[in-house]
Amino acid sequence: MFRVGILSDTHGLLRPEVLTALSGVKHILHAGDIGSPQILDDLRSIAPVTAIRGNTDTHSPCALLPATEMIELAGRFFYLVHDIAQLDINPSAAGVNCVIFGHSHKPSFEERQGVFYLNPGSCGPRRFNLPITLALLEIDAERITHRLIDLTQV
C-alpha cells in the first residue's frame, strides 16, 4: 500500500493537524496557493513533496514553482494543476490516472473516462463556510482509493 497526502490552498498556514493527518504518507502533493516556502520545508520533514504554484503564489520562491506537474507514484500518473479550468492536457489521452487540483477550496472527487479528478479542498485559513480538509490516497496493485480528512475532526 502506497499512501499519498494531497493538499492545496494552505495560503501560508500549516496547521498542526495537517502534519498529524499526513503521518506515514510516502509522498505529498500540493496543488498550489502555498503562501510560504517554509510550508514546503515543513512538509518535506514528513515525506518527499511535489508542489505547483497557485494564482496567489506570485512572490517568494513559490513563484518559481511550475504551473503544472506530472509525476509517477506507485506506477500511477498524477497531473497537478491549480485551477481545473486551466487544465491544458487531455488526461485520458495522456495516460493520467488522477488529476489533482485546488483553487476553489471546495473538496470534490469524481471519475470521468477512467480518470480520477480530486480537489482536496483547503487546509489553510477558513474561507466562507467551507470545510478545512485534505485528502489521503491509497494505491495498491488494483486501485486508487481516496479519503477526505476533515481537519476539525483530527
Side-chain angles (χ1 to χ4, degrees):
M1 187 71 61
F2 192 95
R3 292 183 66 217
V4 181
I6 313 286
L7 61 153
S8 187
D9 297 280
T10 47
H11 292 280
L13 174 63
L14 187 62
R15 298 168 183 273
E17 297 88 354
V18 170
L19 302 176
T20 301
L22 294 176
S23 177
V25 301
K26 294 184 179 173
H27 203 96
I28 299 169
L29 302 176
H30 195 306
D33 281 356
I34 299 157
S36 166
Q38 184 62 49
I39 287 177
L40 298 179
D41 290 340
D42 291 345
L43 293 173
R44 284 186 193 104
S45 71
I46 298 170
V49 175
T50 299
I52 59 169
R53 71 176 182 266
N55 61 292
T56 65
D57 292 320
T58 56
H59 304 307
S60 86
C62 293
L64 302 175
L65 291 169
T68 63
E69 187 73 60
M70 174 100 77
I71 183 169
E72 181 181 0
L73 298 171
R76 302 298 182 5
F77 288 94
F78 295 84
Y79 190 77
L80 284 74
V81 61
H82 181 63
D83 182 349
I84 194 67
Q86 296 179 358
L87 184 64
D88 58 353
I89 65 167
N90 176 331
S92 182
V96 171
N97 301 101
C98 188
V99 174
I100 306 294
F101 63 102
H103 187 61
S104 70
H105 294 226
K106 296 177 186 174
S108 65
F109 178 82
E110 68 176 302
E111 182 180 352
R112 288 185 267 157
Q113 297 179 329
V115 177
F116 297 117
Y117 291 78
L118 172 65
N119 183 335
S122 171
C123 59
R126 184 180 294 276
R127 181 177 177 202
F128 309 116
N129 290 326
L130 296 171
I132 300 167
T133 57
L134 59 79
L136 296 176
L137 294 181
E138 293 185 350
I139 305 167
D140 64 25
E142 276 126 48
R143 65 184 172 272
I144 299 173
T145 57
H146 79 285
R147 185 165 45 116
L148 193 66
I149 307 295
D150 180 340
L151 294 173
T152 62
Q153 306 291 315
V154 174

